[in-house]
């Protein structure tokens, strides 16, 4: 067994003292995290099932004692002034963006959301929706519109399709015409009953999403497409996943390749290693920080399309969700098909002609010489993918502060690990095979993180080392409960391509308390932990079918114990 102090050998004495002070004396916080009181004196201690370090899933540098997805990690204490930058960066996540008001200017001309937190309620997983409305807080859905014959995104709208636009432009997709219909599963393809052997029943639902051609304000109009939903997940602890080494993740893929088929777009089965497509291209390479002629390994998003956190889902979203440009992305997130349609729209041209002459108007940039033809040409020019803005709407410093916040989010401490039912749940979780994909623990590397152009530029402007300006998590044992591998579950109306990265389970048990919802899986189809588990066994082809079958055959008390365990980590 680990001794409590063994967790913190890599931390400074000052950080140790502060961390233990929080862990041992802040009774309000500890009670928030699982009903414990100081007299019980069990938090942070090993027992016959859990090690002492499992109470701290983000390690000493990445765990918060708060029942919160938004708390800063202890790692911020290592650099003077970092917590202040964290607080400023938090504002870029939480507050609305505007067309022209500092410090969050630049919204549009078309966008997915006007704030980040709209998609991540309380920094957590998005909530299940019955209609698609961009301005609904908690709607974490992104529309996935693709060609079913090759799984490629359609080109007429952006990969993260936009349903909002500034007047007079027409949104690329009219969200009023988007229909979400929730269907009931009447029978499991695998043959498992919709009732457990002891008689307790469960139900499964899934969404069917349709968008008619008339909803698209593009030229041309897309054809031969299908629509899926993908919801946001919690963003806490992503800096810790960024600190895992490429080599350790590749070793995990190699180990699993002996037993399951892996995504051929990522994995070279014959060579037993990642393909070049699994890494960022040489154009993103950071000399001296990564091996070979490629950049960091892709590890974020369901489809594992993003590598380093500085070009991961959040860093990407702060640009393309709001369409706010920065120095290394000084072009709008648009398509030429949308630009063409807007330039040809008589209402758009007429409105700009009437309201855009004044230099004070935010439409003045489209006014050109005031003629119909001049406005039409200018609209296409400025909305097209080739247009480059002279001035960035988000400064390098602001982006840096956003990334301090993003990389600095802590993971909530585990709860109730001394509870007998929770301990039983952990044992069963491993025995039936869940831990084969939901790998419990990892150890981070040196965390020599990749640095993008914007932060390099800001670091140079203030004479600092860009490689020591963000929160770092070296040599931390962490407990995310993910193997960082893509698997297939073969669900009804499955995720695009069918391949989906194993979602980390840490902190998810606080979702109902913090977000008022417990929706799970990539499109929020699972309303409970039980439903999420049973979706893993919808098909016998699922990589998780055998584990689900074993769960299905457990007595109710054991099923409930596994749920309690998942909700405690």
């Amino acid at each position: 067994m680990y001794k409590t102090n063994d967790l913190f050998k890599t931390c400074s004495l000052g950080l140790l003292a502060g961390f233990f002070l929080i862990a041992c004396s802040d009774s309000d916080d500890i009670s928030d995290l699982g009903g414990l009181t100081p007299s019980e004196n069990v938090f942070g201690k090993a027992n016959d099932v859990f090690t002492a370090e499992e109470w701290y899933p983000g390690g000493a540098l990445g765990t918060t004692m708060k029942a919160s997805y938004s708390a800063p990690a202890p790692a911020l204490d290592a650099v003077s002034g970092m917590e202040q930058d964290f607080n400023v960066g938090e504002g870029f996540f939480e507050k609305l963006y505007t067309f022209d008001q500092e410090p969050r200017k630049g919204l549009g001309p078309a966008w997915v959301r006007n704030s980040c937190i709209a998609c991540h309620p309380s920094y957590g997983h998005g909530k299940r929706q019955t209609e698609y409305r961009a301005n609904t807080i908690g709607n974490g859905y992104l529309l996935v519109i693709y060609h079913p014959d090759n799984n490629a995104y359609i080109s007429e709208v952006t990969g993260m399709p936009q349903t909002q636009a500034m007047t007079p432009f027409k949104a690329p997709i009219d969200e009023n015409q988007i229909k979400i219909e929730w269907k009931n599963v009447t029978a499991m393809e695998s043959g498992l009953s919709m009732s457990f052997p002891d008689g307790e029943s469960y139900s499964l639902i899934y969404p069917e999403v349709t968008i008619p051609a008339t909803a698209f304000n593009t030229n041309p109009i897309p054809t031969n497409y299908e629509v899926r939903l993908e919801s946001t997940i919690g963003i806490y602890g992503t800096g810790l996943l960024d600190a895992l080494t490429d080599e350790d993740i590749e070793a995990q893929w190699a180990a699993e390749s002996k037993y399951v088929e892996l995504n051929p777009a990522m994995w070279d089965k014959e060579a037993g290693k990642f393909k070049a497509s699994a890494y960022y291209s040489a154009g993103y390479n950071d000399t001296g920080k990564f091996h070979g002629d490629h950049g960091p390994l892709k590890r974020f998003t369901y489809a594992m399309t993003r590598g380093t956190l500085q070009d991961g889902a959040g860093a990407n979203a702060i640009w393309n969700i709001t369409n706010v440009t920065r120095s290394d992305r000084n072009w709008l997130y648009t398509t030429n098909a949308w630009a063409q349609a807007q330039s040809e729209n008589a209402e758009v041209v007429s409105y700009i002609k009437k309201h855009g002459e004044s230099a004070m108007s935010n439409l003045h940039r489209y006014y050109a010489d005031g003629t119909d033809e001049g406005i039409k040409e200018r609209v296409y020019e400025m909305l097209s993918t080739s247009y480059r803005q002279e001035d960035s709407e988000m400064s390098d410093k602001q982006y840096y502060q956003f990334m301090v916040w993003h990389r600095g989010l802590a993971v909530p401490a585990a709860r109730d690990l001394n509870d007998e039912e929770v301990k039983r749940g952990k044992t069963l979780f491993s025995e039936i095979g869940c831990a084969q994909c939901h790998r419990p623990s990892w150890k981070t590397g040196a965390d020599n993180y990749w640095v993008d152009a914007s932060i390099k530029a800001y670091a140079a402007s203030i004479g600092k080392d860009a490689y020591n300006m963000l929160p770092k998590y070296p040599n931390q044992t962490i407990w995310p409960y993910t193997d960082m591998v893509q698997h297939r579950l073969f669900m009804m109306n499955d995720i695009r391509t069918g391949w989906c990265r194993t979602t980390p389970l840490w902190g998810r048990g606080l979702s109902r308390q913090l977000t008022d919802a417990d929706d799970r899986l990539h499109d929020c189809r699972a309303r409970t932990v039980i439903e999420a588990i049973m979706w893993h066994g919808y098909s016998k082809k699922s990589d998780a079918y055998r584990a689900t079958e074993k769960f299905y055959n457990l007595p109710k008390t054991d099923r409930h114990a596994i749920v309690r365990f998942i909700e405690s980590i």
Side-chain angles (χ1 to χ4, degrees), residues 408-426:
L409 287 171
V411 178
R415 304 153 303 282
D416 296 331
L417 302 191
N418 213 49
D419 183 280
E420 292 301 322
E421 187 177 37
V422 173
K423 289 194 290 183
R424 173 67 175 157
K426 181 193 177 183

PDB file of all heavy atoms in Angstrom, residues 408-426:
ATOM      1  N   GLY A 408      -5.057  25.024 -16.479  1.00  0.00           N
ATOM      2  CA  GLY A 408      -4.964  25.073 -15.027  1.00  0.00           C
ATOM      3  C   GLY A 408      -6.177  24.561 -14.284  1.00  0.00           C
ATOM      4  O   GLY A 408      -6.238  24.690 -13.058  1.00  0.00           O
ATOM      5  N   LEU A 409      -7.159  24.003 -14.970  1.00  0.00           N
ATOM      6  CA  LEU A 409      -8.360  23.494 -14.302  1.00  0.00           C
ATOM      7  C   LEU A 409      -8.080  22.173 -13.596  1.00  0.00           C
ATOM      8  O   LEU A 409      -7.570  21.221 -14.194  1.00  0.00           O
ATOM      9  CB  LEU A 409      -9.493  23.302 -15.318  1.00  0.00           C
ATOM     10  CG  LEU A 409     -10.152  24.580 -15.843  1.00  0.00           C
ATOM     11  CD1 LEU A 409     -11.091  24.252 -16.994  1.00  0.00           C
ATOM     12  CD2 LEU A 409     -10.909  25.300 -14.733  1.00  0.00           C
ATOM     13  N   ALA A 410      -8.425  22.123 -12.328  1.00  0.00           N
ATOM     14  CA  ALA A 410      -8.155  20.937 -11.514  1.00  0.00           C
ATOM     15  C   ALA A 410      -9.260  19.901 -11.636  1.00  0.00           C
ATOM     16  O   ALA A 410     -10.377  20.194 -12.082  1.00  0.00           O
ATOM     17  CB  ALA A 410      -8.007  21.353 -10.052  1.00  0.00           C
ATOM     18  N   VAL A 411      -8.944  18.693 -11.214  1.00  0.00           N
ATOM     19  CA  VAL A 411      -9.916  17.602 -11.122  1.00  0.00           C
ATOM     20  C   VAL A 411     -10.433  17.530  -9.685  1.00  0.00           C
ATOM     21  O   VAL A 411      -9.646  17.612  -8.739  1.00  0.00           O
ATOM     22  CB  VAL A 411      -9.258  16.253 -11.494  1.00  0.00           C
ATOM     23  CG1 VAL A 411     -10.264  15.114 -11.358  1.00  0.00           C
ATOM     24  CG2 VAL A 411      -8.702  16.306 -12.903  1.00  0.00           C
ATOM     25  N   PRO A 412     -11.742  17.396  -9.482  1.00  0.00           N
ATOM     26  CA  PRO A 412     -12.258  17.266  -8.109  1.00  0.00           C
ATOM     27  C   PRO A 412     -11.741  15.997  -7.429  1.00  0.00           C
ATOM     28  O   PRO A 412     -11.610  14.947  -8.065  1.00  0.00           O
ATOM     29  CB  PRO A 412     -13.779  17.204  -8.296  1.00  0.00           C
ATOM     30  CG  PRO A 412     -14.038  17.727  -9.666  1.00  0.00           C
ATOM     31  CD  PRO A 412     -12.831  17.399 -10.478  1.00  0.00           C
ATOM     32  N   ALA A 413     -11.463  16.104  -6.143  1.00  0.00           N
ATOM     33  CA  ALA A 413     -11.039  14.941  -5.368  1.00  0.00           C
ATOM     34  C   ALA A 413     -12.128  13.863  -5.378  1.00  0.00           C
ATOM     35  O   ALA A 413     -13.315  14.157  -5.558  1.00  0.00           O
ATOM     36  CB  ALA A 413     -10.729  15.357  -3.932  1.00  0.00           C
ATOM     37  N   ALA A 414     -11.698  12.626  -5.213  1.00  0.00           N
ATOM     38  CA  ALA A 414     -12.657  11.515  -5.157  1.00  0.00           C
ATOM     39  C   ALA A 414     -13.430  11.563  -3.837  1.00  0.00           C
ATOM     40  O   ALA A 414     -13.032  12.239  -2.888  1.00  0.00           O
ATOM     41  CB  ALA A 414     -11.928  10.190  -5.303  1.00  0.00           C
ATOM     42  N   ARG A 415     -14.518  10.830  -3.801  1.00  0.00           N
ATOM     43  CA  ARG A 415     -15.423  10.901  -2.654  1.00  0.00           C
ATOM     44  C   ARG A 415     -15.832   9.493  -2.214  1.00  0.00           C
ATOM     45  O   ARG A 415     -15.918   8.584  -3.032  1.00  0.00           O
ATOM     46  CB  ARG A 415     -16.690  11.692  -3.045  1.00  0.00           C
ATOM     47  CG  ARG A 415     -16.352  13.087  -3.563  1.00  0.00           C
ATOM     48  CD  ARG A 415     -17.382  13.646  -4.534  1.00  0.00           C
ATOM     49  NE  ARG A 415     -17.646  12.834  -5.696  1.00  0.00           N
ATOM     50  CZ  ARG A 415     -16.842  12.758  -6.764  1.00  0.00           C
ATOM     51  NH1 ARG A 415     -15.713  13.434  -6.794  1.00  0.00           N
ATOM     52  NH2 ARG A 415     -17.154  12.000  -7.787  1.00  0.00           N
ATOM     53  N   ASP A 416     -16.067   9.326  -0.929  1.00  0.00           N
ATOM     54  CA  ASP A 416     -16.664   8.099  -0.392  1.00  0.00           C
ATOM     55  C   ASP A 416     -15.850   6.831  -0.652  1.00  0.00           C
ATOM     56  O   ASP A 416     -16.411   5.735  -0.724  1.00  0.00           O
ATOM     57  CB  ASP A 416     -18.077   7.907  -0.953  1.00  0.00           C
ATOM     58  CG  ASP A 416     -19.023   9.009  -0.523  1.00  0.00           C
ATOM     59  OD1 ASP A 416     -18.816   9.569   0.566  1.00  0.00           O
ATOM     60  OD2 ASP A 416     -19.978   9.304  -1.265  1.00  0.00           O
ATOM     61  N   LEU A 417     -14.554   6.964  -0.803  1.00  0.00           N
ATOM     62  CA  LEU A 417     -13.751   5.780  -1.119  1.00  0.00           C
ATOM     63  C   LEU A 417     -13.617   4.828   0.063  1.00  0.00           C
ATOM     64  O   LEU A 417     -13.107   3.717  -0.103  1.00  0.00           O
ATOM     65  CB  LEU A 417     -12.356   6.189  -1.620  1.00  0.00           C
ATOM     66  CG  LEU A 417     -12.309   7.085  -2.864  1.00  0.00           C
ATOM     67  CD1 LEU A 417     -10.891   7.172  -3.396  1.00  0.00           C
ATOM     68  CD2 LEU A 417     -13.257   6.601  -3.962  1.00  0.00           C
ATOM     69  N   ASN A 418     -14.058   5.245   1.247  1.00  0.00           N
ATOM     70  CA  ASN A 418     -14.038   4.342   2.387  1.00  0.00           C
ATOM     71  C   ASN A 418     -15.377   3.625   2.586  1.00  0.00           C
ATOM     72  O   ASN A 418     -15.516   2.815   3.493  1.00  0.00           O
ATOM     73  CB  ASN A 418     -13.673   5.115   3.661  1.00  0.00           C
ATOM     74  CG  ASN A 418     -12.885   4.277   4.636  1.00  0.00           C
ATOM     75  OD1 ASN A 418     -11.907   3.633   4.260  1.00  0.00           O
ATOM     76  ND2 ASN A 418     -13.306   4.258   5.894  1.00  0.00           N
ATOM     77  N   ASP A 419     -16.341   3.932   1.722  1.00  0.00           N
ATOM     78  CA  ASP A 419     -17.658   3.305   1.796  1.00  0.00           C
ATOM     79  C   ASP A 419     -17.554   1.863   1.290  1.00  0.00           C
ATOM     80  O   ASP A 419     -16.966   1.593   0.230  1.00  0.00           O
ATOM     81  CB  ASP A 419     -18.637   4.113   0.938  1.00  0.00           C
ATOM     82  CG  ASP A 419     -20.047   3.588   1.011  1.00  0.00           C
ATOM     83  OD1 ASP A 419     -20.349   2.591   0.319  1.00  0.00           O
ATOM     84  OD2 ASP A 419     -20.849   4.182   1.742  1.00  0.00           O
ATOM     85  N   GLU A 420     -18.132   0.932   2.015  1.00  0.00           N
ATOM     86  CA  GLU A 420     -18.018  -0.482   1.657  1.00  0.00           C
ATOM     87  C   GLU A 420     -18.634  -0.785   0.299  1.00  0.00           C
ATOM     88  O   GLU A 420     -18.118  -1.604  -0.464  1.00  0.00           O
ATOM     89  CB  GLU A 420     -18.671  -1.352   2.739  1.00  0.00           C
ATOM     90  CG  GLU A 420     -17.929  -1.351   4.065  1.00  0.00           C
ATOM     91  CD  GLU A 420     -16.494  -1.849   3.934  1.00  0.00           C
ATOM     92  OE1 GLU A 420     -16.264  -2.795   3.146  1.00  0.00           O
ATOM     93  OE2 GLU A 420     -15.607  -1.295   4.610  1.00  0.00           O
ATOM     94  N   GLU A 421     -19.742  -0.142  -0.005  1.00  0.00           N
ATOM     95  CA  GLU A 421     -20.385  -0.369  -1.305  1.00  0.00           C
ATOM     96  C   GLU A 421     -19.504   0.149  -2.434  1.00  0.00           C
ATOM     97  O   GLU A 421     -19.376  -0.492  -3.479  1.00  0.00           O
ATOM     98  CB  GLU A 421     -21.758   0.309  -1.335  1.00  0.00           C
ATOM     99  CG  GLU A 421     -22.559  -0.012  -2.587  1.00  0.00           C
ATOM    100  CD  GLU A 421     -23.942   0.607  -2.561  1.00  0.00           C
ATOM    101  OE1 GLU A 421     -24.073   1.744  -2.043  1.00  0.00           O
ATOM    102  OE2 GLU A 421     -24.880  -0.027  -3.061  1.00  0.00           O
ATOM    103  N   VAL A 422     -18.884   1.305  -2.244  1.00  0.00           N
ATOM    104  CA  VAL A 422     -17.994   1.870  -3.254  1.00  0.00           C
ATOM    105  C   VAL A 422     -16.781   0.971  -3.446  1.00  0.00           C
ATOM    106  O   VAL A 422     -16.336   0.728  -4.582  1.00  0.00           O
ATOM    107  CB  VAL A 422     -17.570   3.296  -2.860  1.00  0.00           C
ATOM    108  CG1 VAL A 422     -16.504   3.834  -3.817  1.00  0.00           C
ATOM    109  CG2 VAL A 422     -18.780   4.233  -2.853  1.00  0.00           C
ATOM    110  N   LYS A 423     -16.241   0.455  -2.361  1.00  0.00           N
ATOM    111  CA  LYS A 423     -15.096  -0.456  -2.468  1.00  0.00           C
ATOM    112  C   LYS A 423     -15.492  -1.722  -3.232  1.00  0.00           C
ATOM    113  O   LYS A 423     -14.730  -2.210  -4.078  1.00  0.00           O
ATOM    114  CB  LYS A 423     -14.580  -0.807  -1.071  1.00  0.00           C
ATOM    115  CG  LYS A 423     -13.887   0.363  -0.376  1.00  0.00           C
ATOM    116  CD  LYS A 423     -13.093  -0.072   0.849  1.00  0.00           C
ATOM    117  CE  LYS A 423     -13.964  -0.501   1.991  1.00  0.00           C
ATOM    118  NZ  LYS A 423     -13.159  -0.844   3.195  1.00  0.00           N
ATOM    119  N   ARG A 424     -16.678  -2.241  -2.945  1.00  0.00           N
ATOM    120  CA  ARG A 424     -17.162  -3.417  -3.670  1.00  0.00           C
ATOM    121  C   ARG A 424     -17.320  -3.092  -5.151  1.00  0.00           C
ATOM    122  O   ARG A 424     -16.983  -3.898  -6.016  1.00  0.00           O
ATOM    123  CB  ARG A 424     -18.507  -3.858  -3.079  1.00  0.00           C
ATOM    124  CG  ARG A 424     -19.240  -4.969  -3.836  1.00  0.00           C
ATOM    125  CD  ARG A 424     -18.513  -6.272  -3.769  1.00  0.00           C
ATOM    126  NE  ARG A 424     -19.282  -7.353  -4.389  1.00  0.00           N
ATOM    127  CZ  ARG A 424     -18.737  -8.462  -4.858  1.00  0.00           C
ATOM    128  NH1 ARG A 424     -17.418  -8.641  -4.777  1.00  0.00           N
ATOM    129  NH2 ARG A 424     -19.482  -9.401  -5.399  1.00  0.00           N
ATOM    130  N   GLY A 425     -17.790  -1.887  -5.447  1.00  0.00           N
ATOM    131  CA  GLY A 425     -17.966  -1.471  -6.831  1.00  0.00           C
ATOM    132  C   GLY A 425     -16.664  -1.426  -7.598  1.00  0.00           C
ATOM    133  O   GLY A 425     -16.595  -1.821  -8.768  1.00  0.00           O
ATOM    134  N   LYS A 426     -15.605  -0.948  -6.952  1.00  0.00           N
ATOM    135  CA  LYS A 426     -14.309  -0.904  -7.637  1.00  0.00           C
ATOM    136  C   LYS A 426     -13.825  -2.309  -7.975  1.00  0.00           C
ATOM    137  O   LYS A 426     -13.331  -2.572  -9.079  1.00  0.00           O
ATOM    138  CB  LYS A 426     -13.267  -0.191  -6.783  1.00  0.00           C
ATOM    139  CG  LYS A 426     -11.915  -0.114  -7.490  1.00  0.00           C
ATOM    140  CD  LYS A 426     -10.780   0.293  -6.596  1.00  0.00           C
ATOM    141  CE  LYS A 426      -9.472   0.260  -7.381  1.00  0.00           C
ATOM    142  NZ  LYS A 426      -8.300   0.581  -6.547  1.00  0.00           N
TER     143      LYS A 426
END
